[in-house]
């Protein structure tokens, strides 16, 4: 009887504890904790969180319950700042991301059991393992949602590869591979591989984004790229698939012949070098994954101790060949900076060991990112970090000042001080911010102590008064400053705003372009031969449509040209000449409504009616090419002008006009005054003023920008003979000018004036002609 009472009391206590836990869970209301309504916006939630966080931060609030209160505030903000968690809390009263999924699974399971009970199915007989609670318990902690994948998995894939399984309900193949998947996950997760599971039924958006159109599917993600697994689902195949995702140059094979070169690369690469000694011929996967995670900070090498000739290294560095050993070398290659040796090498042990030795003793500041990591911004009084910077010139060998600075950094025991150095010739603006404008430090090394105050580059610093030579007195002075700095931070009395550091190790633009091109080509190759063809159908359809249109157009054009040639018979010589005269280019006014034909050039006369529309108010970017002619030379010059400019009529920005010299000579003379030495300035004492011949001149007028370009015709042989001695009397004129007597010449010499107009038009379109600007366009009377 007493035993029965005791069991009842225990049951009562258990029930009471469960009730208290449920009540405590229900008592937590993130809206009430932050003091906001359920309809509050993200801005209101963030504002309330910042206010409460400042009030209840344990460093500022000495209340005994401040820490618990601060934890509740942080938890409430974590729920309400995430739209997915907030929605889950509003609907189900719990912020768990899988709440909705679990509830739907429970409903499906209830329906299945109800169906099972009504039709008397015996699961033990049929052995259908569709109990979602039992089957999904393995994958539940690895379930991925779209936001989690985009915000966490993709950025994290640049540090470790991910292995993701796509599954769904009522998938017999998924059940078949489940034991193999479980074993592979247990092994690979311990090595540092990320694991994910996507339920295609509830995360269709993510499954479509990954390109998985069938279940089960297994894929890998590394550096943000997706690779599908196509082999049999066997544990060893999955392991090889993960290993194939990693770059091939992560770990260098090191022997007696190249270990000196490998360890000496710290100065050029600005990284510590890691050596693993092991008895396995191949590099272990754990070591490759570690090298991938820390590839930006360290260089990794592997030594197979069973190889002949490895005894020299093992003897020099006192390595036990019967247990895996990791050595880290920094600035000194003859002695490792740190050593770890253990038979059961675990990932956590390696990560802790690597993290403690990520940087050199006196690393070189080669980028702004490295500057942020080595010299972080001051967060609080307790988190002060000081950087001792050596400003020195670049040298192939270690100089005496740097050796002394390195030995001082090696002897340092303060956690709040970091030692770095900068090449002054590579970072001149950064170095000049610390050095005074004097000749004292020119060509010499200097040491500054700095503390960063914000991310914008503001620092406080103290530069040693004398150049750094590495003498004992310099070390003593620096040590005194550091001891004084521990007691009084006011020692750093100078302020400056530092410019961003130049990334010294970044590849050149051409190399970056080549790397990017190779990545795109490899992605295209993988998409063509390994990805699902359903994804490639839109691209292939577009490519084939473009090719069909292109070849169709070429074929139609070829057939039309051949038909035209077949229909037109070759005329004889006289008919060709007669036809050429008949098809001389016709010239119409601006209001002409005729459809342009082949050989047609529309040339309008520039008059007081068309002057405003064709020049003064000409649209930006458009030009009017104007031919200067007289009544006697109009026909011949227009024919030659049309032939010369016909090849340029395809441009919609060019307009063609002609100007009568007999009507508008004063307008032309006014314009030519602005051309440098293009024509002499006319005056009343010039007896040949009205005889000066400008026929054949061509002006390209830009009405919007108010400038023009000038074409001057070349003098022909017939003109020179006709002019005779007149050319000697008027030698002061420009070589392109002639007297009015030239107008009496035949049509051939007149047409020869425009013989080089096509070359001038090409230079006009190139923009290489001289431009003559005017203040405003004169009126055309």
């Amino acid at each position: 009887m007493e035993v029965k009472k005791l069991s009842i009391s225990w049951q009562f206590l258990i029930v009471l504890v469960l009730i208290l836990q449920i009540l405590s869970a229900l008592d937590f209301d993130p809206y009430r904790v932050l003091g906001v309504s359920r309809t509050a916006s993200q801005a209101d939630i963030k504002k309330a969180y910042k206010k409460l966080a400042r009030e209840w931060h344990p460093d500022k609030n000495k209340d005994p319950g401040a820490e618990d209160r601060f934890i509740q505030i942080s938890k409430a903000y974590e729920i309400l700042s995430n739209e997915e968690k907030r929605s889950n809390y509003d609907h189900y009263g719990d912020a768990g991301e899988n709440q909705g999924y679990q509830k739907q699974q429970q409903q499906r399971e209830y329906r299945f059991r109800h169906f099972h009970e009504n039709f008397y199915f015996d699961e033990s007989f049929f052995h259908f393992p569709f109990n979602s609670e039992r089957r999904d318990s393995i994958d539940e902690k690895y379930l991925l949602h779209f936001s989690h994948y985009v915000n966490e998995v993709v950025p994290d894939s640049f540090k470790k590869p991910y292995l993701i399984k796509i599954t769904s309900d009522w998938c017999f193949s998924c059940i078949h591979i489940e034991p193999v998947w479980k074993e592979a996950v247990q092994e690979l997760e311990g090595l540092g591989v990320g694991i994910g599971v996507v339920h295609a039924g509830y995360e269709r958006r993510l499954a479509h984004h990954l390109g998985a159109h069938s279940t089960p599917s297994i894929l890998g993600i590394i550096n943000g790229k997706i690779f599908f697994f196509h082999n049999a689902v066997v544990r060893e195949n999955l392991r090889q698939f993960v290993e194939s995702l990693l770059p091939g140059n992560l770990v260098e094979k090191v022997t007696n012949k190249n270990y000196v070169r490998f360890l000496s690369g710290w100065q050029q690469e600005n990284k510590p070098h890691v050596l693993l000694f092991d008895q396995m011929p191949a590099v272990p996967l754990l070591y490759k994954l570690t090298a991938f995670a820390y590839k930006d900070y360290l260089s990794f090498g592997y030594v197979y101790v069973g190889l002949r000739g490895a005894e020299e290294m093992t003897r020099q560095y006192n390595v036990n060949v019967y247990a895996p050993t990791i050595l880290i070398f920094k600035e000194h290659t003859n002695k490792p900076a740190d050593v770890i040796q253990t038979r059961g090498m675990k990932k956590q042990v390696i990560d802790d060991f690597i993290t403690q030795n990520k940087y050199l003793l006196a690393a070189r500041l080669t980028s702004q990112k490295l500057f942020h990591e080595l010299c972080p911004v001051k967060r609080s009084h307790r988190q002060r970090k000081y950087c001792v910077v050596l400003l020195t010139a670049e040298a192939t060998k270690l100089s005496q000042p740097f050796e002394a600075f390195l030995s001082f950094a090696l002897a340092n025991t303060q956690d709040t001080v970091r030692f770095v150095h900068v090449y002054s010739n590579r970072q001149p603006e950064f170095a000049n911010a610390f050095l005074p404008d004097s000749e004292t430090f020119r060509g010499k090394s200097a040491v500054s102590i700095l503390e960063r105050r914000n991310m914008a580059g503001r620092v406080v610093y103290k530069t040693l008064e004398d150049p750094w030579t590495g003498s004992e007195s310099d070390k003593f002075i620096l040590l005194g400053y550091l001891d004084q700095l521990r007691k009084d931070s006011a020692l750093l009395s100078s302020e400056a705003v530092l410019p961003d550091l130049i990334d010294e190790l970044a590849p050149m633009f051409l190399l970056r372009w080549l790397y990017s091109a190779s990545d795109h080509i490899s992605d295209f190759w993988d998409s063509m031969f390994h990805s699902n063809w359903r994804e490639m159908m839109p691209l292939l359809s577009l490519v084939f449509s473009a090719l069909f249109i292109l070849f169709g157009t070429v074929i139609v054009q070829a057939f039309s040209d051949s038909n035209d040639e077949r229909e037109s018979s070759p005329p004889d010589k006289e008919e060709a000449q007669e036809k050429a005269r008949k098809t001389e280019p016709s010239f119409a006014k601006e209001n002409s409504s005729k459809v342009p034909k082949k050989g047609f050039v529309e040339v309008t006369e520039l008059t007081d009616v068309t002057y405003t529309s064709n020049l003064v108010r000409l649209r930006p970017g458009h030009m009017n090419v104007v031919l200067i002619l007289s009544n006697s030379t109009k026909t011949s010059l227009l024919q030659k002008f049309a032939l010369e400019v016909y090849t340029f009529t395809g441009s919609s920005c060019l307009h063609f006009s002609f100007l009568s010299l007999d009507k508008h000579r004063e307008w032309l003379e006014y314009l030519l005054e602005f051309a440098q030495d293009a024509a002499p300035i006319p005056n009343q004492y010039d007896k040949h003023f009205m005889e000066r011949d400008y026929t054949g001149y061509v002006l390209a007028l830009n009405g919007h920008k108010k400038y023009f370009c000038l074409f001057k015709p070349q003098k022909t042989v017939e003109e020179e003979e006709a002019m005779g001695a007149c050319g000697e009397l008027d030698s002061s004129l420009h070589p392109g000018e002639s007297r009015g007597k030239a107008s009496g010449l035949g049509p051939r010499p007149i047409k020869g004036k425009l013989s080089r107009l096509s070359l001038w038009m090409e230079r006009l379109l190139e923009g290489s002609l001289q431009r003559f600007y005017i203040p405003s366009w004169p009126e055309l009377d």
Side-chain angles (χ1 to χ4, degrees), residues 340 342 344-354:
I340 182 174
T342 178
M345 196 74 74
K346 301 294 183 182
K347 174 176 171 51
Q348 188 61 42
V349 176
I350 296 179
D351 287 345
D352 295 341
F353 178 69
I354 296 294

Side-chain angles (χ1 to χ4, degrees), residues 172-233:
F172 288 92
S173 299
C174 300
I175 301 168
H176 179 72
I177 68 171
E178 191 169 332
V180 180
W181 172 260
K182 182 178 179 181
E183 293 179 1
V185 165
Q186 290 178 351
E187 177 189 2
L188 296 175
E189 189 177 22
L191 298 178
V193 179
I195 305 296
V197 175
V198 177
H199 196 289
Y202 302 101
E203 287 293 336
R204 294 183 181 179
R205 181 185 177 188
L206 179 55
H208 180 73
H209 176 78
L210 295 174
H213 302 286
S214 62
T215 56
S217 296
I218 297 177
L219 52 92
I221 299 177
I222 188 168
N223 291 332
K225 299 180 181 179
I226 302 173
F227 301 90
F228 278 84
F229 176 75
H230 298 282
N231 296 329
V233 183

Side-chain angles (χ1 to χ4, degrees), residues 490-559:
L491 176 66
L492 307 180
S493 56
S494 302
E495 291 189 10
V497 177
L498 300 180
D500 290 344
L501 289 165
I502 302 171
D503 194 350
E504 300 178 10
L505 303 180
M508 295 185 299
F509 172 77
L510 180 60
L511 293 178
R512 291 200 302 270
W513 184 86
L514 291 176
Y515 294 154
S516 178
S518 63
D519 290 342
H520 283 85
I521 292 173
S522 63
D523 291 345
F524 178 77
W525 183 266
D526 293 337
S527 300
M528 285 289 293
F529 295 98
H530 298 292
S531 295
N532 198 306
W533 281 94
R534 192 179 305 174
E535 295 180 355
M536 298 298 298
M537 286 304 296
L539 178 61
L540 294 175
S541 176
L542 179 63
V543 171
F544 283 112
S545 300
L547 292 176
F548 177 78
I549 294 173
L550 178 63
F551 284 107
T553 305
V554 172
I555 292 171
V556 170
Q557 185 69 26
F559 276 106

Side-chain angles (χ1 to χ4, degrees), residues 420-457:
V420 296
H421 71 282
V422 174
Y423 285 157
S424 304
N425 55 330
R426 293 196 180 187
Q427 309 286 349
E429 295 182 2
F430 184 89
N432 293 335
F434 297 102
L435 300 178
D437 297 333
S438 64
E439 298 292 332
T440 307
F441 295 94
R442 185 177 298 276
K444 299 179 181 179
S445 302
V447 172
S448 296
I449 307 172
L450 67 89
E451 180 186 12
R452 297 183 64 198
R453 290 300 175 87
N454 56 31
M455 297 296 292

Side-chain angles (χ1 to χ4, degrees), residues 287-403:
Y287 194 60
K288 288 185 177 180
L289 292 169
T290 304
F292 180 74
Y294 297 97
K295 61 182 180 299
D296 295 334
Y297 300 96
L298 302 100
S299 295
F300 292 82
Y302 180 75
V303 180
Y304 171 43
V305 295
L307 189 66
R308 180 180 300 178
E311 297 85 0
E312 180 181 345
M313 283 187 290
T314 56
R315 184 171 56 255
Q316 179 179 353
Y317 300 120
N318 194 22
V319 176
N320 182 7
V321 297
Y322 299 104
T325 305
I326 299 180
L327 308 180
I328 290 187
F329 295 83
K330 296 186 178 180
E331 284 87 351
H332 299 100
T333 59
N334 55 349
K335 182 181 179 181
D338 205 351
V339 181
I340 182 174
Q341 189 176 50
T342 178
R343 292 187 180 276
M345 196 74 74
K346 301 294 183 182
K347 174 176 171 51
Q348 188 61 42
V349 176
I350 296 179
D351 287 345
D352 295 341
F353 178 69
I354 296 294
T355 304
Q356 296 174 2
N357 298 277
K358 282 174 62 176
Y359 307 104
L360 297 170
L361 293 174
R364 187 171 91 250
L365 297 181
T366 56
S367 65
Q368 192 68 16
K369 177 187 175 183
L370 188 61
F371 185 41
H372 290 328
E373 295 175 356
L374 293 175
C375 305
V377 177
K378 169 190 172 184
R379 297 297 181 185
S380 64
H381 181 73
R382 298 179 182 178
Q383 297 179 351
R384 286 183 178 274
K385 294 289 184 181
Y386 301 104
C387 268
V388 182
V389 184
L390 172 66
L391 306 172
T392 184
E394 183 178 3
T396 55
K397 296 183 179 179
L398 299 183
S399 59
Q400 175 61 28
F402 181 78
E403 288 281 2

Side-chain angles (χ1 to χ4, degrees), residues 67-78:
E67 186 174 357
D68 295 336
R69 178 67 172 167
F70 184 76
I71 293 174
Q72 288 186 350
I73 293 170
S74 301
K75 184 179 179 182
Y77 179 70
E78 180 183 359

